[in-house]
Amino acid sequence: MLLSRIRSGRRFSCRQLFADRIYHVTGSYMEPTPLLLMLLAVFAPALTGAITLLAPRETTTSRTLLALLGPLVSVASLAMFMNSFGVGVADPSHVTLEFVPSFGLNFAFNPDGLGLFFAFLVSGVGALIVLYARGYFGPDENALYRFYPTLGLFATAMLGLVLSDNMLAMLLFWELTSVSSFLLIGWNRDDRTAVQLALQALVTTGLGGLALLGGVILFAQSTGTWLFSEATTIVVQGADAMAQPGLLPWAFVLMFLGGATKSAQWPFHYWLPGAMAAPTPVSAYLHSATMVKAGIYLFGRLVPAFAGVEFWTTTLVAFGAVTMLLGAFLALRSDELKKIFAYTTVSQLGLLTCMYGLGALSYHEEPNLIWPITQILNHALYKAPLFLMAGAIAHAVGKKYLSQLRGLVRVKPLLAWITIAAAYALAAGPFTLSFVAKEAFLYQIYHAVEWASWMWFIAGAAVLTAIFNVAIFVRIVVTFFRSPESDAPPAHDEHHAHDGWAIWLWLPALALVAWQFIGGIAPGLYERLIAPIETHAMYWDHLPTVFSAAAHAGVPLMLSAVATALGIVLGLSPFWRTPVVDPHNKIFPESVSFLSRMGWGIFATIQTGNIRHYTYLVLGAFLLGLVAAVLHDPDLLNLPVIASIWGGPTGFILASLCVFTLVCATAISLPIFKSRIVRVLVLGACGMSVTGLYLLYQAPDLALTQLLFEIISVILFLLVLRLLPEEPPRVRMTGVLGRAVFSAIVGISIGWIVLQAGSHVDAQSAPGKLGEFFLANSYEGSELTEGRGGGGDNSVNVILVDFRGYDTLGEITVLSIAAMGIFALIAAAPRQAQDRMRAVSQQHLSSSLFQTSMRLILPLSLIFAAYLFFKGHNEPGGGFIAGLVASVALAVYRMAKGPEALKSLLPIKPGTLAAAGLLIALITAIVPVALGYPILRSHTGYIPLAGSDPFHYSTVVFFDFGVLIVVVAVAVGVINRLTEELET
Amino acid sequence: MDGSNWIVLLIVVPMFSAILTTMLRGWAPAQRFITVVSLIACVALAIGGLASLGSNGVIVSQAGQWPAPFGISIVFDQLSGLLLAAASFVALCVYVYGLTSKEQEVGRGWYHPLFMLLMMGVNFSFLTGDIFNLFVAFEIMLMASYAMMCLGGGKQQLSQCYKYVMINLVGSTFFVLGAALIYGMTGTLNYADLAVCVAQSTMPGGTPLPSAFGAVAMMLLFVFAVKAALFPLWFWLPDTYHTCSITVAALFAGLLTKVGIYSLVRLSPMALAAPNIRGDGAFATILPFAAGLTMILGGLAALSMRETRRVLAMLLISHIGYMAFGLAIMTPTSLSGTVFYMIQHMLVMAALFLACGLIERYQRSSDLAETGGLYRQAPWLSVFFFVAMISLIGLPPFSGFFGKFLLLKEGFRLSSQGYWLLSALGLCTGFLTLLALGRVWIRTFWGPEHREGVAERIENVSDRIAVAPMYVGLAMLVIGSLTLGLGAEFFQGRTSDATAELNEPRSYVAAVLGPGAWPEIVAKGDESTSIKVANTHGGDH
């Protein structure tokens, strides 16, 4: 009713009605702005769909009515928009809702002729589908509960798609249609085939969606705007107006790919027949009337911009014609009703693409794109009813194959006649809108032939298609009129009780198909209805009618007469009756399996699971990086200047050579020895030799640390070795030489870089650099530090606990985590291994001399550690070194006296002890923060003592103490854990 | 500098919480409480810090109050802040999810401190302004990750862990070596000081850096590439993520690789691969290949996987390629895309892994041949998975779209330099992701319920309680990702602020080293050189 009022032009009342509603919602009087109307038109279906979820599950009537409200509101808003603002908008900013402006993604609408036409189609058919679905699903409340929200989402997506001016917003809605279609095709969630087909549709259209994304970006990049309307203007102005005109052809290619997958053009058409796994309302709505037209819509939207692109016509016409012919042929060779209609849809989509391709030919002289629009409407008006009837027939007689439907006219006359009427339109018989559309198409091709003679092939394809369509019609009619195979009346499919809603199984189809004949018989009326939309667009011309066609009898009419005659003959003939399977159906599974096999090949090549391969890979990649670096900077190969060593005193040179020889000899001999224990010892020797290096360069702290560390690690290694299983029998290894060469290359390369970099090491000690600063401020401060110094003579220790104490805080954490990891790992070790460990741990060295001497050694070592700790700030030593000394002492003590002795000496759990050490360090670190200083800010000073030098103190001692505790706890904990009974 | 010292709390809080939970082992409720509270505190601190920053504000605290570059700078800027907030949020969600999971018991209470220590390492990495300190941060993070990976330690798990440790040890060795050589050549470890050094060296009259700088920079970039799991250095990832527990996998998936990418984002434009340094072209040549191959080969490999968790692990790698893509172009816009994508990837990848955990819980397996019909058992799980899936595929207006979009756009804009190829590969990767995840969806959530899959509804009360926190954690992540998508305008503003100056970190350097530290070129009539230096990286090819 609302609709008729709008159509009849009583705009005031509608507007009043709408404004009142807004008034109630917002509390203040508001003129419906164009933006508001657009938003309402687009989002109403999704909103009402979502609201139906709130309704109790068992209500079906109110749910249906609520779902119906969505499309109706859309129709009303669109009509109001047209009434108030006309078609198209003068100022795009009035219909723009900003979403992500910095990306250019806004909800900008452009309700021009093309957009509004599609919007009316989507919302109008949508309303009928809501009703049909109620009839189709019956009172199955679970199905309806799931169906309406998804349908609403789809309707919104489709409306947004066709009304958006912003390319990204269109893309957003475009993807949303794919997703909602996926959800609807996979309606039978338990059916493996159905969900596979749903995925096939999603992935195929998703491929197009991604291509479209690329195309849209390129289009926007080349024109400099995200709005279709502006971009079109810019392209029409020519290359000078564009930002990057070179990208335009690629934009076309990608966008064509997007449109072609969505609109099921060859060779992507396979997904559409597959999508017939969806319930019939979905097939009728998405896969026939609306969604599959999205690609066609895109072509229509782009004609003005791309008509100038050279290969537009060729591409669209060629793909369209192939699709058209193939679809019609496969439709003829199918038996399942829905498949037949799906393939004719494919064929029709090909025809539409073809038309838009031809449209570009004459576009700039005569923008007569009304014909494709007529075709689109025409197709919706017969194909949707065909699907609806296929569903209704399956519903009523439980049969979905044409060959099973003999005698349907007698069994279900109403359904049969509506189907025949719609199929008549499919065959483009006279007095239907379809006839008009077909004539228009043939006329267009006929004229295109003047432009290029190869268009005769297209004309031939069109005639063949027409023949197939007529033949399909003839076969449907013949089948319906033949007597049934058996006399028994076909069983009525009683899967649900029929109620008053059952009429909606056929009423929507009837309503739609009626328009076919109205449009065909009285084109004037049709024109008047469509005119308000189309006059404002540029697509207007007079429609050829059956009368005008007869009046101007020419080649087109002749062709169509020939096609009809041949079609009837083919329809009655026994040729091409057996169903065939479309070979294209294999495309998707085959390509997925191809990609997957390829992926597996790649995965298996890299992921061998062999640590040696991984090492090759890592080091090989590293070498490649170096090669690239050398290629970019050949200076890297020059021999660096290394004079410093040879300039020193002779003693230094000799000592250097000794250390060098030791380090190299131990390192090289490491892989030669086979026995584990020898290897561990040689490794220790190598580490000890490095100590010499530190000594040479006068770094006693480092030397001390290295030495102690080597001792501890050798002890640890030996402890672990005891727990390892027997050494495997020696096998002769292959490929040793290759590995040795590879290792040598890696080693030499790294050495070379170090040498290269090493020839520039003076930078650090330059004035104003770190080295100089650390030495200068170690004890006394300078201007840079506002007079505050580190308060220690041993700059290494000051660096560790003060200048870079923050690093140390991190490192002791690392140390603790390592210990925690070991604790957690051993805790989780399998029972057997635990027992084994326990057995091993019972043994300890029981030499009495050793035990007795420990009484002396331990206290002495601990005192020494304490000494190192306190002297550390000024002399070599410090918390870390002291911790290591104490650990070594405790480890040896434990070896001598056994685990119990150590436990009684150190009653606290090592984990907790480590945590306590960390806590001490952390508290020292953050106390300054609490006082408003940065973390780890130290404080040094003097406590005046009577009669002697004042006592020098520094707060870093607490931090250093934390370090000591952590080191001891970790070392002792790990040693304990490796040897002792498990801590609980 | 006053009032800036609180930023260390982002490190202190997790560390303190780890210490407490270590001491409280055996008293799980207290451990859980402390961990949750400190994770919330981290999120709050990061968000509070972000709120207090201006558009290019930088908060600096000098450890020990030693001036930069001598002391260690702790720097909180937009980039760090965004990543800190995202990382802490992801960690919070993952932790909440794991509140009732069994590895807490298996690890004998070590799970909680290790979790927080890992977070400490992550936060440490985001905050530090010093290369050696970054090494320490990596070590904290890695050491915690080794330990967490072994929690529960089956044979398979330990063997994978061993490989992971070995590879990372190689990486760490290169890292410390590279840091030392950088120090040797430039005399500094401080990011800002290094950036100044590099900038000066490329200026007319400046001393050029030695050739070895290029090689050493390559060494460090290589290390970060290992952490980020770029092709062909990803092999440590799929197997390890497959064997460890799902919460650990989700945490790693969300955070670990991103730290590698973060280091690249932070250091390459300003120093290691800055334009005009000697040998910078090497990395600029390699990175596009690495990015493209990571995207496409990872995607293909994901297709061939037969278990959801493995599919996710490969997709994780594949999508790291997107981030490398932005790095390869290295313009402010592309870096902004990288950062946006990083944040979304943290949320979405963690969400998908957590969802996978629930799949495994319901169906006893994530093997695609053994699952099916889950939508009926767990409708909300299906919804969450679907949203996260769409987001990863990158459909608008979900979060995955926006980062990817910026990258694709920038690639196409610079088509003349050949970057269109990366954009094209990016689109193909989107397709592969769609296919791989679509397959997971129809095999796991749709399709017939599998008989052997022991599909059972969670009926009894105790199971419901056990599952509740899992859903809470998952829901939080999904809502976070939705917010990121719908609030893309806001977040994109923040990420573009964060990356606006990465190529020429004027504010950053001024905040760390004091005003006037950034070497501006004094115009001497030689315009060609001044333009050259002012150029962004992308414009140089």
Side-chain angles (χ1 to χ4, degrees):
Chain A
M1 203 175 74
L2 193 62
L3 206 90
S4 61
R5 258 199 279 173
I6 293 160
R7 286 244 165 105
S8 62
R10 287 167 64 186
R11 67 204 263 188
F12 176 72
S13 57
C14 302
R15 219 167 143 183
Q16 193 62 50
L17 186 95
F18 191 68
D20 282 348
R21 197 168 294 163
I22 300 251
Y23 177 81
H24 285 301
V25 174
T26 61
S28 65
Y29 187 80
M30 247 168 92
E31 279 285 302
T33 64
L35 177 64
L36 195 67
L37 284 175
M38 276 293 118
L39 289 175
L40 200 64
V42 170
F43 289 102
L47 273 179
T48 52
I51 294 171
T52 59
L53 283 174
L54 302 176
R57 267 193 190 247
E58 59 280 1
T59 57
T60 52
T61 307
S62 56
R63 185 185 302 284
T64 309
L65 292 177
L66 200 55
L68 186 62
L69 190 64
L72 290 184
V73 167
S74 290
V75 172
S77 319
L78 289 169
M80 275 183 68
F81 183 90
M82 270 178 66
N83 259 350
S84 311
F85 308 104
V87 173
V89 276
D91 185 355
S93 65
H94 289 168
V95 278
T96 300
L97 177 72
E98 293 207 331
F99 179 36
V100 192
S102 57
F103 284 71
L105 170 53
N106 295 316
F107 292 115
F109 298 103
N110 180 17
D112 65 350
L114 189 65
L116 279 177
F117 164 73
F118 267 97
F120 274 118
L121 183 70
V122 170
S123 44
V125 178
L128 291 176
I129 294 293
V130 167
L131 291 169
Y132 177 77
R134 175 63 182 78
Y136 181 83
F137 287 115
D140 178 358
E141 64 257 4
N142 280 335
L144 291 175
Y145 178 79
R146 268 204 302 153
F147 186 75
Y148 285 137
T150 327
L151 195 74
L153 186 70
F154 167 75
T156 285
M158 201 59 212
L159 285 165
L161 196 166
V162 297
L163 288 173
S164 287
D165 193 20
N166 184 293
M167 301 175 201
L168 290 174
M170 188 210 68
L171 186 85
L172 187 156
F173 290 118
W174 181 286
E175 302 286 20
L176 201 55
T177 59
S178 297
V179 171
S180 43
S181 146
F182 173 64
L183 295 174
L184 289 167
I185 301 174
W187 183 255
N188 281 327
R189 311 287 200 235
D190 297 337
D191 180 353
R192 268 218 192 279
T193 323
V195 298
Q196 189 70 40
L197 290 171
L199 182 65
Q200 168 178 306
L202 175 71
V203 169
T204 310
T205 54
L207 173 70
L210 287 163
L212 184 63
L213 170 62
V216 158
I217 293 176
L218 284 172
F219 193 32
Q221 206 67 254
S222 61
T223 56
T225 171
W226 290 105
L227 298 181
F228 276 117
S229 51
E230 285 180 12
T232 308
T233 323
I234 290 172
V235 172
V236 170
Q237 280 167 4
D240 296 339
M242 287 196 263
Q244 282 174 292
L247 299 179
L248 200 63
W250 293 105
F252 164 66
V253 169
L254 286 178
M255 286 166 105
F256 172 73
L257 191 59
T261 50
K262 195 79 167 181
S263 284
Q265 297 299 298
W266 176 85
F268 301 109
H269 66 273
Y270 56 82
W271 74 262
L272 184 54
M276 294 302 136
T280 305
V282 175
S283 306
Y285 190 36
L286 273 69
H287 305 126
S288 159
T290 58
M291 189 184 85
V292 289
K293 304 276 171 49
I296 305 296
Y297 161 80
L298 183 68
F299 298 150
R301 182 56 80 209
L302 294 176
V303 173
F306 285 101
V309 171
E310 236 178 306
F311 42 93
W312 165 280
T313 302
T314 329
T315 314
L316 263 72
V317 170
F319 277 91
V322 171
T323 313
M324 176 172 73
L325 189 56
L326 184 73
F329 176 71
L330 289 169
L332 185 69
R333 304 296 301 270
S334 300
D335 191 24
E336 192 181 339
L337 271 185
K338 279 181 85 175
K339 277 270 161 62
I340 297 177
F341 300 146
Y343 278 118
T344 54
T345 305
V346 169
S347 169
Q348 185 75 18
L349 292 170
L351 184 146
L352 288 167
T353 308
C354 207
M355 285 189 103
Y356 272 118
L358 293 173
L361 272 186
S362 55
Y363 177 73
H364 287 301
E365 292 88 52
E366 183 195 5
N368 57 352
L369 298 176
I370 170 70
W371 293 344
I373 283 196
T374 307
Q375 278 284 10
I376 291 163
L377 183 66
N378 151 47
H379 181 241
L381 291 181
Y382 77 77
K383 193 53 62 62
L386 282 176
F387 273 110
L388 297 181
M389 292 327 291
I393 291 169
H395 212 85
V397 299
K399 307 227 162 107
K400 36 182 201 169
Y401 292 93
L402 181 60
S403 52
Q404 298 171 330
L405 289 171
R406 289 166 63 170
L408 189 75
V409 172
R410 264 170 261 165
V411 184
K412 291 277 172 193
L414 184 64
L415 299 185
W417 278 108
I418 296 175
T419 312
I420 289 171
Y424 180 68
L426 165 70
F431 305 109
T432 60
L433 191 57
S434 204
F435 177 78
V436 175
K438 186 184 68 177
E439 286 305 309
F441 180 55
L442 289 173
Y443 173 84
Q444 207 181 1
I445 294 182
Y446 180 64
H447 282 273
V449 170
E450 294 165 8
W451 179 75
S453 49
W454 61 272
M455 289 291 176
W456 275 118
F457 287 105
I458 311 301
V463 171
L464 277 175
T465 307
I467 293 174
F468 292 148
N469 281 343
V470 172
I472 291 165
F473 167 67
V474 170
R475 283 187 183 168
I476 290 175
V477 172
V478 169
T479 312
F480 282 4
F481 276 97
R482 284 172 78 173
S483 55
E485 276 169 5
S486 64
D487 290 333
H492 180 243
D493 188 16
E494 288 287 359
H495 72 264
H496 65 79
H498 275 253
D499 51 17
W501 292 91
I503 56 161
W504 291 107
L505 273 174
W506 52 267
L507 206 53
L510 188 62
L512 286 172
V513 88
W515 284 105
Q516 270 287 347
F517 290 90
I518 294 170
I521 296 168
L525 184 59
Y526 165 76
E527 282 182 28
R528 192 151 307 159
L529 281 169
I530 297 295
I533 306 173
E534 290 192 336
T535 42
H536 297 274
M538 40 199 153
Y539 324 123
W540 180 244
D541 196 357
H542 273 286
L543 288 168
T545 64
V546 64
F547 309 112
S548 65
H552 309 95
V555 180
L557 189 66
M558 197 190 75
L559 286 178
S560 109
V562 169
T564 312
L566 286 175
I568 293 171
V569 173
L570 179 64
L572 295 172
S573 74
F575 290 117
W576 284 345
R577 278 192 181 265
T578 46
V580 288
V581 176
D582 182 8
H584 296 91
N585 288 351
K586 283 192 200 133
I587 291 180
F588 181 74
E590 294 279 316
S591 24
V592 170
S593 113
F594 172 72
L595 288 175
S596 160
R597 264 178 287 135
M598 203 157 97
W600 180 252
I602 292 157
F603 181 81
T605 311
I606 295 182
Q607 215 72 19
T608 55
N610 183 333
I611 186 93
R612 189 172 293 145
H613 292 169
Y614 291 169
T615 318
Y616 282 138
L617 208 55
V618 172
L619 297 176
F622 176 63
L623 286 182
L624 269 182
L626 287 188
V627 169
V630 168
L631 287 178
H632 275 84
D633 187 6
D635 284 356
L636 265 176
L637 292 178
N638 294 349
L639 190 68
V641 192
I642 342 161
S644 51
I645 294 179
W646 306 114
T650 325
F652 180 79
I653 295 173
L654 280 180
S656 301
L657 281 177
C658 284
V659 173
F660 175 79
T661 320
L662 264 176
V663 174
C664 285
T666 45
I668 291 173
S669 60
L670 198 55
I672 296 172
F673 294 110
K674 300 293 178 208
S675 152
R676 281 172 186 160
I677 195 138
V678 179
R679 279 188 177 185
V680 166
L681 292 174
V682 171
L683 189 64
C686 184
M688 301 274 187
S689 319
V690 173
T691 313
L693 212 60
Y694 293 136
L695 284 174
L696 273 177
Y697 285 94
Q698 297 161 10
D701 284 86
L702 297 190
L704 207 52
T705 314
Q706 175 79 13
L707 195 66
L708 290 164
F709 176 75
E710 286 302 330
I711 294 172
I712 294 251
S713 47
V714 169
I715 293 178
L716 283 179
F717 266 126
L718 292 177
L719 288 174
V720 173
L721 285 186
R722 292 201 307 165
L723 299 172
L724 289 183
E726 298 296 311
E727 288 192 41
R730 212 153 295 163
V731 273
R732 185 150 179 81
M733 284 196 288
T734 51
V736 177
L737 186 68
R739 263 184 279 155
V741 170
F742 182 78
S743 314
I745 292 174
V746 173
I748 290 169
S749 311
I750 294 169
W752 185 258
I753 297 177
V754 174
L755 208 60
Q756 283 280 357
S759 61
H760 297 276
V761 288
D762 38 348
Q764 64 189 307
S765 44
K769 288 298 182 184
L770 269 65
E772 191 233 23
F773 173 90
F774 290 149
L775 287 177
N777 296 288
S778 178
Y779 193 88
E780 297 283 337
S782 62
E783 272 179 50
L784 265 175
T785 60
E786 294 158 349
R788 192 168 65 91
D793 282 331
N794 179 4
S795 61
V796 172
N797 186 259
V798 179
I799 291 173
L800 276 179
V801 296
D802 202 341
F803 290 140
R804 294 190 70 92
Y806 189 60
D807 281 340
T808 311
L809 186 67
E811 288 294 3
I812 55 175
T813 315
V814 174
L815 209 56
S816 314
I817 304 171
M820 289 182 186
I822 293 168
F823 299 162
L825 189 59
I826 297 181
R831 200 76 222 157
Q832 212 179 354
Q834 288 180 12
D835 293 341
R836 185 185 159 80
M837 265 187 245
R838 196 167 298 138
V840 170
S841 69
Q842 295 309 318
Q843 314 153 5
H844 49 88
L845 297 167
S846 48
S847 151
S848 61
L849 180 67
F850 194 31
Q851 288 204 7
T852 325
S853 63
M854 272 325 288
R855 282 191 199 146
L856 195 61
I857 291 173
L858 183 68
L860 276 180
S861 312
L862 291 182
I863 290 168
F864 180 55
Y867 169 79
L868 282 173
F869 174 73
F870 284 112
K871 288 308 274 184
H873 219 41
N874 296 319
E875 312 272 330
F880 198 76
I881 294 174
L884 285 176
V885 168
S887 310
V888 172
L890 288 170
V892 176
Y893 179 76
R894 196 224 147 268
M895 280 181 160
K897 293 266 198 170
E900 287 311 313
L902 187 63
K903 205 173 240 177
S904 57
L905 196 69
L906 217 66
I908 185 168
K909 282 185 196 168
T912 313
L913 188 62
L918 279 183
L919 192 61
I920 294 170
L922 183 62
I923 288 173
T924 321
I926 57 167
V927 165
V929 177
L931 300 174
Y933 293 103
I935 188 169
L936 279 164
R937 205 277 195 184
S938 62
H939 181 74
T940 53
Y942 293 91
I943 300 170
L945 292 178
S948 71
D949 289 339
F951 179 73
H952 177 67
Y953 72 91
S954 171
T955 50
V956 297
V957 74
F958 299 110
F959 183 74
D960 218 10
F961 185 64
V963 175
L964 185 148
I965 299 287
V966 170
V967 172
V968 169
V970 170
V972 170
V974 170
I975 291 171
N976 258 355
R977 270 304 168 100
L978 284 174
T979 54
E980 204 197 309
E981 281 187 354
L982 291 153
E983 189 184 9
T984 43
Chain B
M1 206 184 286
D2 289 335
S4 63
N5 301 319
W6 61 268
I7 55 173
V8 295
L9 288 180
L10 278 160
I11 296 154
V12 170
V13 167
M15 185 173 174
F16 191 65
S17 134
I19 292 171
L20 280 184
T21 46
T22 305
M23 291 175 163
L24 292 171
R25 272 180 314 121
W27 190 18
Q31 286 184 312
R32 286 183 196 137
F33 178 76
I34 291 168
T35 311
V36 168
V37 167
S38 38
L39 281 170
I40 293 173
C42 284
V43 176
L45 281 168
I47 291 175
L50 272 178
S52 71
L53 282 179
S55 72
N56 54 1
V58 181
I59 301 176
V60 182
S61 173
Q62 284 295 128
Q65 212 177 13
W66 302 107
F70 312 110
I72 296 167
S73 306
I74 305 163
V75 191
F76 183 100
D77 65 351
Q78 288 278 357
L79 180 58
S80 319
L82 283 173
L83 294 175
L84 281 165
S88 307
F89 178 72
V90 168
L92 175 65
C93 298
V94 172
Y95 187 80
V96 167
Y97 176 97
L99 275 176
T100 49
S101 74
K102 61 178 188 299
E103 59 263 17
Q104 297 197 354
E105 298 133 43
V106 175
R108 296 204 176 189
W110 287 114
Y111 172 80
H112 315 270
L114 287 173
F115 194 102
M116 284 320 278
L117 286 166
L118 187 97
M119 282 318 292
M120 176 193 170
V122 170
N123 290 359
F124 215 109
S125 314
F126 289 146
L127 276 175
T128 185
D130 184 285
I131 292 188
F132 184 76
N133 202 241
L134 181 68
F135 168 74
V136 175
F138 268 53
E139 286 307 300
I140 299 177
M141 191 176 79
L142 288 174
M143 197 57 88
S145 74
Y146 305 152
M148 283 189 92
M149 197 167 278
C150 298
L151 283 181
K155 192 173 175 187
Q156 181 76 16
Q157 198 173 343
L158 287 183
S159 118
Q160 295 305 345
C161 187
Y162 170 67
K163 288 169 197 162
Y164 175 74
V165 173
M166 287 307 294
I167 296 310
N168 276 301
L169 280 182
V170 173
S172 298
T173 313
F174 279 128
F175 195 169
V176 76
L177 185 62
L181 294 178
I182 290 273
Y183 174 62
M185 281 182 290
T186 63
T188 190
L189 290 165
N190 190 289
Y191 293 173
D193 203 24
L194 192 62
V196 171
C197 250
V198 169
Q200 267 170 347
S201 75
T202 62
M203 285 184 182
T207 341
L209 289 165
S211 322
F213 187 84
V216 172
M218 180 62 88
M219 193 186 256
L220 285 180
L221 297 170
F222 165 80
V223 171
F224 299 139
V226 173
K227 312 287 177 202
L230 286 182
F231 175 84
L233 306 169
W234 75 40
F235 47 80
W236 56 267
L237 196 148
D239 286 341
T240 42
Y241 283 27
H242 179 65
T243 45
C244 60
S245 82
I246 197 75
T247 30
V248 174
L251 187 69
F252 288 7
L255 304 185
L256 286 195
T257 47
K258 309 309 177 300
V259 180
I261 290 285
Y262 162 79
S263 314
L264 283 171
V265 168
R266 175 66 87 192
L267 287 172
S268 349
M270 71 155 80
L272 299 180
N276 303 329
I277 64 162
R278 299 181 76 163
D280 74 297
F283 195 61
T285 321
I286 290 180
L287 202 52
F289 285 100
L293 290 171
T294 309
M295 285 194 283
I296 205 81
L297 299 183
L300 281 173
L303 268 190
S304 66
M305 297 291 112
R306 293 191 185 83
E307 281 167 71
T308 304
R309 217 202 270 206
R310 281 185 180 274
V311 173
L312 293 180
M314 287 320 297
L315 286 179
L316 163 71
I317 294 170
S318 166
H319 284 239
I320 282 169
Y322 280 117
M323 298 167 218
F325 171 8
L327 268 166
I329 301 180
M330 220 179 270
T331 60
T333 314
S334 76
L335 288 171
S336 160
T338 294
V339 173
F340 196 105
Y341 206 82
M342 266 168 89
I343 296 172
Q344 96 91 12
H345 197 249
M346 281 183 184
L347 296 169
V348 169
M349 223 54 234
L352 284 171
F353 268 94
L354 292 185
C356 179
L358 274 165
I359 294 174
E360 287 167 10
R361 163 128 199 168
Y362 278 102
Q363 306 236 328
R364 302 280 187 271
S365 163
S366 75
D367 192 322
L368 292 179
E370 291 173 13
T371 52
L374 192 58
Y375 81 97
R376 193 168 295 173
Q377 297 171 322
W380 279 106
L381 174 60
S382 316
V383 171
F384 292 141
F385 189 91
F386 197 75
V387 172
M389 168 174 122
I390 296 284
S391 200
L392 192 68
I393 294 167
L395 300 187
F398 295 94
S399 58
F401 172 75
F402 296 101
K404 196 168 84 173
F405 172 75
L406 277 183
L407 296 170
L408 296 175
K409 196 175 73 147
E410 197 67 359
F412 280 130
R413 187 174 73 80
L414 300 172
S415 286
S416 53
Q417 291 157 35
Y419 287 124
W420 63 269
L421 189 60
L422 278 179
S423 291
L425 288 176
L427 287 172
C428 294
T429 307
F431 170 70
L432 294 174
T433 311
L434 169 67
L435 192 48
L437 282 179
R439 210 167 118 253
V440 168
W441 175 263
I442 63 163
R443 294 278 178 84
T444 305
F445 290 92
W446 287 358
E449 286 185 30
H450 207 276
R451 251 169 284 130
E452 284 107 293
V454 201
E456 59 184 81
R457 280 169 186 273
I458 302 276
E459 291 289 1
N460 60 40
V461 180
S462 67
D463 271 354
R464 275 178 195 277
I465 291 170
V467 167
M470 301 171 93
Y471 271 105
V472 172
L474 177 58
M476 278 160 66
L477 280 173
V478 170
I479 291 167
S481 130
L482 280 176
T483 315
L484 193 63
L486 296 176
E489 180 64 23
F490 173 76
F491 291 106
Q492 142 71 5
R494 304 303 285 211
T495 55
S496 68
D497 281 348
T499 54
E501 287 200 338
L502 278 179
N503 287 299
E504 286 177 60
R506 286 198 172 75
S507 327
Y508 185 94
V509 167
V512 175
L513 296 176
W518 181 258
E520 298 289 349
I521 296 170
V522 188
K524 285 178 192 166
D526 188 17
E527 283 197 321
S528 61
T529 30
S530 51
I531 289 167
K532 199 174 175 189
V533 174
N535 233 339
T536 56
H537 192 77
D540 277 6
H541 294 274

